[in-house]
């Protein structure tokens, strides 16, 4: 749930990077942390270990400047991808304002992407969020591996398999080299803020 | 593709998957190579090649086992704990409007049991959160398979006056259900849980004078420690009934069934005496002009002479 602080005109929103294990969610946040130093508004937290009742998640607070007189703050979270951390994913999704689904372009991970999307759909439903209404973008990650000759899924095929029904913005990216990491983030922020604008009407009555 | 080119590219693939933590995919790739090598004729150094691959496979299995065995929740730093505490939004219904509750639940659900129990324990002092906090403390111990510790806590509540009788019974039922659900009942069957019964009184009904009013010290809540005086509306021997108007919420919430007031004062037209009182019931009046008010019943357990 975004927090709108009318007094000091600040909007705080929660963006979650979702996707199968090892698709590059943490790497996205690491790249942002290293390269957008002006926007980074605090420590990046990575809790990464093994275990079934544990949470693995990353957290990065950002300050994205002013839009229409309002300070925009975003908190980026990642979820643990491994199947057994379902309850942690549900927890991290609570109060989400926008989602980046980081899919793995490696051919061998094709099925894992689809399973993770299904899992996200179910977890959202549980907390009363309609996947067709929440701001969402897809990121097809690890595209840099194509040039090195590794077997990847073509963009069109991935977009067809994952995004055919939802029809939200999608990006080819490489979190490792940083390609389209910023584009993905600004893509989801744009949708999220549009959505919050509808909800709060904050840009009016200035 | 020529055989050795094919093998080379598969090795490269397997190595990539392993380096990215995709261990199953790496394993599958090595297995593919084994099949390919075994089914191809005239392979140079066939045995050495297969040996190399089986070493890689062993190493992968080893790595997989390691990941599985390391199942303890991580020790987290102060910053990490802060981030965890913010996982459940303050306005989540589960938190019942309390940021502290949201933080404690976030800690509990992420396996940070010690810190969670500490926070829940602090919440026991808040009337609206006490019951949930107590249940969550039990939950945290049971998640760690510490049945004895959970039971110890429940027993403590059964004799103390932190929780009301209803609350204790609720927590006990919750504890028993959890233990059963996890198949831990074998451990508990030997431990006998006592029912919280109304304590016996040392005084006979006929020895008690007519009492007009009583004074006692509140045990909890925002007015903890304050002495209140209440008029007796009805007396049946050692049982005293008094009315608390519904607007006096703070008072109502700070008195629970099962509470014991030591050094309580009883005022009768002829004398003042002190003793111990036990709250035997607290009910809302559901009809009549006093509807919504509370009727409190206190049983006199003993009188100091
Ligand atoms: N080549 C390549 N590797 C990547 C990319 N993104 C992530 N990785 C690697 O994939 C592995 C898993 O990434 P990580 O961010 O930890 O995945 P997460 O489980 O989704 O957080 C790591 O070894 C990363 O270095 C990418 O764009 N290209
Ligand atoms: Mg990660």
């Amino acid at each position: 749930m975004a927090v709108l602080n009318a007094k000091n005109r600040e909007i705080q929103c929660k963006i979650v990077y979702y996707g199968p294990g090892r698709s590059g969610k943490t790497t996205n946040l690491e790249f942002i942390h290293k390269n957008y130093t002006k926007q980074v508004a605090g420590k990046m937290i990575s809790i990464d270990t093994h275990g079934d009742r544990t949470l693995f998640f990353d957290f990065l607070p950002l300050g994205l400047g002013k839009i229409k007189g309002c300070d925009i703050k975003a908190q980026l979270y990642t979820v643990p991808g491994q199947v057994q951390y379902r309850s942690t994913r549900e927890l991290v999704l609570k109060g989400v304002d926008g989602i980046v689904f980081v899919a793995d372009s490696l051919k061998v991970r094709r099925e894992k992407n689809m399973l993770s999307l299904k899992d996200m759909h179910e977890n959202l439903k549980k907390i009363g969020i309609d996947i067709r209404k929440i701001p969402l973008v897809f990121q097809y990650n690890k595209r840099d591996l194509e040039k090195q000759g590794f077997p990847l899924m073509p963009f069109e095929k991935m977009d067809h398999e994952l995004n055919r029904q939802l029809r939200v913005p999608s990006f080819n990216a490489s979190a490792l080299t940083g390609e389209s990491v910023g584009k993905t983030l600004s893509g989801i922020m744009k949708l999220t803020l549009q959505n919050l604008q509808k909800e709060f009407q904050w840009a009016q009555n200035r | 593709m020529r055989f050795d080119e094919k093998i080379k590219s598969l090795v490269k693939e397997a190595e990539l998957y392993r380096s990215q933590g995709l261990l199953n995919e790496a394993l599958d790739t090595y297995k593919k190579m084994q099949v390919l090598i075994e089914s191809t004729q005239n392979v140079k150094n066939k045995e050495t090649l297969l040996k190399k691959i089986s070493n890689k496979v062993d190493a992968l299995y080893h790595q997989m086992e390691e990941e599985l065995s390391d199942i303890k929740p991580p020790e987290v730093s102060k910053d990490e704990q802060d981030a965890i505490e913010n996982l459940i939004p303050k306005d989540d219904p589960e938190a019942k409007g309390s940021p502290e509750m949201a933080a404690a639940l976030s800690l509990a659900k992420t396996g940070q049991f010690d810190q969670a129990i500490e926070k829940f324990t602090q919440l026991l002092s808040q009337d609206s959160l006490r019951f949930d906090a107590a249940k969550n403390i039990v939950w945290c111990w049971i998640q760690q398979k510490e049945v004895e510790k959970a039971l110890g806590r429940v027993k403590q509540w059964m004799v103390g006056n932190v929780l009301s009788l209803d609350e204790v019974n609720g927590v006990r039922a919750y504890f028993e259900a959890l233990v059963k659900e996890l198949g831990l009942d074998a451990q508990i069957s030997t431990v006998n849980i006592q029912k919280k019964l109304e304590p016996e009184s040392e005084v006979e009904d006929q020895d008690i004078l007519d009492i007009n009013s009583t004074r006692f010290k509140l045990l909890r809540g925002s007015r903890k420690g304050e002495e209140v005086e209440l008029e007796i509306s009805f007396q049946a021997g050692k049982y005293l009934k008094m009315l608390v108007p519904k607007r006096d919420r703070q008072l109502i919430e700070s008195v629970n069934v099962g509470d014991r007031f030591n050094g309580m004062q009883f005022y009768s037209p002829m004398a003042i005496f002190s003793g111990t009182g036990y709250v035997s019931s607290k009910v809302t009046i559901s009809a009549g002009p006093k509807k919504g008010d509370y009727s409190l019943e206190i049983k006199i357990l003993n009188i100091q002479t």
Side-chain angles (χ1 to χ4, degrees):
Chain A
M1 250 136 287
V3 180
L4 170 73
N5 189 329
K7 213 158 104 216
N8 50 13
R9 299 198 64 82
E10 184 186 295
I11 287 190
Q12 174 95 251
C13 52
K14 179 173 183 177
I15 306 294
V16 174
Y17 282 66
Y18 208 99
R22 312 287 182 177
S23 66
K25 301 175 291 294
T26 303
T27 311
N28 262 277
L29 261 60
E30 278 168 351
F31 184 87
I32 295 166
H33 184 237
K34 256 192 232 121
N35 294 277
Y36 296 82
T37 43
K38 258 196 2 228
Q39 282 78 22
V40 170
K43 264 197 190 163
M44 171 159 172
I45 308 265
S46 273
I47 303 176
D48 203 345
T49 182
H50 313 296
D52 59 352
R53 56 199 175 185
T54 315
L55 103 140
F56 303 82
F57 78 104
D58 310 299
F59 168 75
L60 178 63
L62 296 179
L64 299 172
K66 273 191 196 309
I67 296 181
K68 306 203 180 178
C70 249
D71 256 325
I72 311 296
K73 299 260 162 80
Q75 298 184 319
L76 309 188
Y77 285 84
T78 68
V79 295
Q82 286 73 0
V83 181
Q84 67 268 34
Y85 303 123
R86 198 188 162 122
S87 54
T88 309
R89 284 193 288 280
E90 203 186 309
L91 197 62
V92 176
L93 275 179
K94 282 197 165 195
V96 65
D97 296 301
I99 301 173
V100 175
F101 187 93
V102 182
D104 195 326
S105 301
L106 282 168
K107 245 187 193 152
V108 286
R109 298 297 278 173
R110 176 183 171 191
E111 204 189 326
K112 294 288 186 293
N113 292 329
M114 295 195 267
L115 288 174
S116 174
L117 184 60
K118 186 165 166 263
D119 170 79
M120 179 172 96
H121 190 160
E122 284 163 6
N123 280 330
L124 285 172
K125 216 192 231 163
K126 262 203 213 158
I127 54 173
I129 297 177
D130 182 347
I131 195 174
R132 287 161 307 180
K133 298 216 172 105
I134 185 95
L136 169 70
V137 301
F138 282 95
Q139 180 187 70
Y140 308 136
N141 191 33
K142 305 192 186 173
R143 298 316 297 193
D144 59 294
L145 293 172
E146 202 155 35
K147 291 181 215 88
Q148 300 173 47
F150 288 107
L152 295 194
M153 295 274 290
F155 172 86
E156 293 74 24
K157 195 148 186 205
M158 289 187 85
D159 211 44
H160 181 75
E161 278 182 358
L162 301 169
N163 194 17
R164 186 180 56 229
Q165 286 170 354
L166 296 164
R167 296 182 168 279
V168 296
S170 54
F171 306 90
N172 265 338
S174 165
L176 204 61
T177 65
E179 185 202 325
S180 285
V181 168
K183 252 194 205 161
T184 308
L185 178 61
S186 53
I188 190 59
M189 282 312 298
K190 193 175 144 202
L191 289 184
T192 304
L193 291 172
Q194 274 170 3
N195 198 42
L196 294 177
Q197 155 69 19
K198 265 189 266 165
E199 197 176 320
F200 290 140
Q201 305 285 322
W202 52 275
Q204 290 167 11
N205 55 42
R206 285 198 54 190
Chain B
M1 215 188 285
R2 278 182 44 215
F3 173 77
D4 40 350
E5 268 174 34
K6 178 86 192 159
I7 291 290
K8 221 165 139 187
S9 105
L10 284 173
V11 168
K12 204 174 121 193
E13 246 185 75
E15 264 314 297
L16 172 80
Y17 300 150
R18 197 199 50 77
S19 76
Q20 299 212 339
L22 302 169
L23 303 184
N24 276 313
E25 285 77 1
L27 198 62
D28 288 347
T29 312
Y30 281 122
K31 288 188 172 157
K32 230 197 253 172
M33 286 162 65
Q34 280 172 333
V35 172
L36 181 68
I37 293 168
E38 271 161 3
S39 64
T40 308
Q41 315 250 302
N42 307 322
V43 178
K44 272 183 293 170
N45 308 322
K46 195 169 193 167
E47 291 313 308
T48 336
L49 216 49
L50 283 172
K51 181 77 195 136
K52 264 189 191 160
I53 292 172
S54 86
N55 285 344
K56 294 275 188 194
V57 168
D58 287 347
L60 275 174
Y61 277 127
H62 186 72
Q63 199 175 338
M64 284 172 167
E65 256 169 46
E66 242 169 31
E67 290 198 357
L68 282 177
S69 64
D70 188 7
I71 55 161
K72 276 245 163 64
E75 288 270 317
V76 300
S77 68
K78 179 77 185 60
D79 286 338
E80 290 170 345
Q81 182 169 333
D82 287 347
I84 292 173
E85 286 179 12
N86 286 320
L87 271 181
I88 297 187
K90 315 276 167 269
D91 52 1
D92 193 89
E94 246 190 305
K96 306 221 161 133
S98 156
E100 291 83 18
M101 190 59 150
L105 285 169
S106 301
L107 287 167
K109 292 192 180 191
T110 53
Q112 308 302 311
F113 298 119
D114 291 345
Q115 292 93 323
I117 289 174
E118 202 181 306
K119 281 215 162 19
F120 285 127
T121 302
Q122 285 163 14
L123 292 174
L124 289 173
S125 64
Q126 294 192 30
D127 294 315
S128 55
L129 303 175
R130 182 180 306 119
F131 186 49
D132 283 343
K135 282 201 295 193
N136 274 295
I137 290 171
V138 168
W139 187 85
C140 284
W141 285 125
I142 299 289
Q143 289 307 300
Q144 302 172 82
K145 308 266 188 302
E146 297 273 14
V147 179
E148 288 296 323
K149 290 211 168 114
L151 182 65
R153 231 16 221 275
V154 176
K155 281 184 165 169
Q156 205 182 322
W157 289 324
M158 288 196 303
V159 294
N161 50 22
V162 174
L163 300 188
S164 72
L165 183 61
D166 282 353
E167 286 168 341
V168 169
N169 283 333
V171 170
R172 224 188 61 209
Y174 179 73
F175 167 77
E176 284 167 353
L178 262 187
V179 163
K180 203 165 173 189
E181 188 185 306
L182 291 172
L184 299 169
D185 20 4
Q187 293 181 50
I188 178 128
S189 60
T190 53
V191 198
N192 177 28
I193 300 182
Q194 295 166 307
K195 275 215 163 53
K196 185 166 178 165
L197 289 174
E198 205 176 290
E200 289 295 325
S201 175
E202 297 164 13
V203 285
E204 298 294 331
D205 278 349
Q206 65 267 24
D207 296 340
I208 295 176
L209 300 169
D210 280 345
I211 297 169
N212 292 342
S213 67
T214 167
R215 243 178 120 77
F216 56 90
K217 222 184 239 178
L218 296 179
L219 298 171
R220 65 173 78 73
S222 53
R223 289 162 64 185
K224 185 175 171 177
E226 188 185 318
E227 286 211 350
V228 291
E229 185 166 336
L230 291 176
E231 271 183 32
I232 306 303
S233 57
F234 180 78
Q235 179 177 5
K238 51 182 157 299
Y239 288 94
L240 312 175
K241 275 199 198 306
M242 49 221 96
L243 275 176
V244 185
K246 55 177 171 286
R247 67 189 132 75
D248 209 348
R249 277 227 77 81
Q250 284 173 322
L251 176 58
I252 292 163
E253 284 183 353
S254 52
V255 178
N256 286 329
V257 173
D259 283 354
R260 247 175 226 260
F261 299 114
N262 296 316
M264 189 172 177
Q265 314 267 13
F266 304 100
Y267 301 97
S268 90
M270 281 165 280
I272 302 175
F273 53 98
S274 76
T276 304
Y278 173 87
V279 181
S280 47
S281 111
K282 177 173 114 174
V283 289
T284 335
I285 297 168
S286 57
K290 302 274 183 204
K291 188 175 168 193
D293 289 348
Y294 277 75
S295 166
L296 203 63
E297 186 189 77
I298 288 182
K299 177 180 183 180
I300 302 175
L301 295 186
N302 59 50
I303 289 170
Q304 275 128 38
T305 42

